[in-house]
Amino acid sequence: MLSTFILASIEKLINTAIDTSTTSRFDLIVLTNKVLRVSLVKPDIQIDVVFGAEHIRFEPVRSAIFEPKPYDLITLPDCTLHIKTPSELITVFRTHLDDLNWECIKGDEQVFVNAYYLFKNIDILNLTDILNDFQTSSAYKLLDKILKSTT
């Protein structure tokens, strides 16, 4: 439940940053109806980043324990990014494309390149303002309280 709350907060933060950047909104249009799967080793998490015309959405990847039902929706990603840790994810998006280890990317590399530029083009100044607003929000206070109670 805590991970869902954190992911929802990050999703909201990214979508707000995209809304404040004209360049990012144009970058998002190119990615409409594309799916980038982020596969982490530690913690063992797989998340699909689903790109819509106006926002992104995080969806957990579910694996069927039993035989899949005919009505189960299976989303196949256009591209998968295999990384070890969340800090490595941040490093990937800070690295210049020419210096990137492309072995961690499988599938349609153009989807990754477009997502890379989308996240690179988010206006850092606006993101700082958004983070400041988030820190005064009730969601941040609740998250801070939960994290303090678990340590």
Side-chain angles (χ1 to χ4, degrees):
M1 182 167 148
L2 180 60
S3 60
T4 303
F5 180 73
I6 292 170
L7 285 174
S9 298
I10 294 169
E11 180 182 304
K12 175 71 173 163
L13 183 69
I14 291 171
N15 282 323
T16 303
I18 289 170
D19 284 343
T20 62
S21 169
T22 307
T23 306
S24 294
R25 279 185 264 146
F26 285 120
D27 290 339
L28 186 60
I29 291 170
V30 174
L31 286 164
T32 300
N33 297 325
K34 300 291 184 187
V35 177
L36 171 66
R37 180 164 292 162
V38 178
S39 180
L40 291 156
V41 173
K42 209 171 202 167
D44 184 16
I45 298 174
Q46 289 188 334
I47 299 167
D48 283 346
V49 181
V50 181
F51 298 95
E54 297 177 1
H55 63 276
I56 67 165
R57 188 176 72 246
F58 292 152
E59 290 185 0
V61 176
R62 296 188 175 109
S63 57
I65 297 173
F66 304 104
E67 290 184 32
K69 311 267 186 297
Y71 51 82
D72 285 344
L73 294 175
I74 298 172
T75 304
L76 297 175
D78 297 288
C79 180
T80 302
L81 176 61
H82 297 277
I83 53 175
K84 293 178 184 164
T85 63
S87 61
E88 188 177 322
L89 176 63
I90 293 168
T91 302
V92 165
F93 284 99
R94 287 185 175 165
T95 304
H96 191 275
L97 282 176
D98 293 337
D99 300 328
L100 195 62
N101 176 8
W102 288 89
E103 293 175 10
C104 66
I105 301 163
K106 303 292 184 225
D108 186 351
E109 291 175 350
Q110 190 60 48
V111 171
F112 172 78
V113 170
N114 290 337
Y116 174 89
Y117 284 118
L118 169 70
F119 295 122
K120 276 285 210 199
N121 288 333
I122 291 176
D123 187 350
I124 296 303
L125 296 175
N126 284 335
L127 188 56
T128 303
D129 292 340
I130 293 164
L131 280 171
N132 289 336
D133 289 345
F134 179 68
Q135 287 180 332
T136 61
S137 73
S138 57
Y140 176 81
K141 290 174 187 171
L142 176 62
L143 177 61
D144 186 50
K145 191 176 190 177
I146 291 169
L147 291 175
K148 284 180 181 175
S149 70
T150 60
T151 57

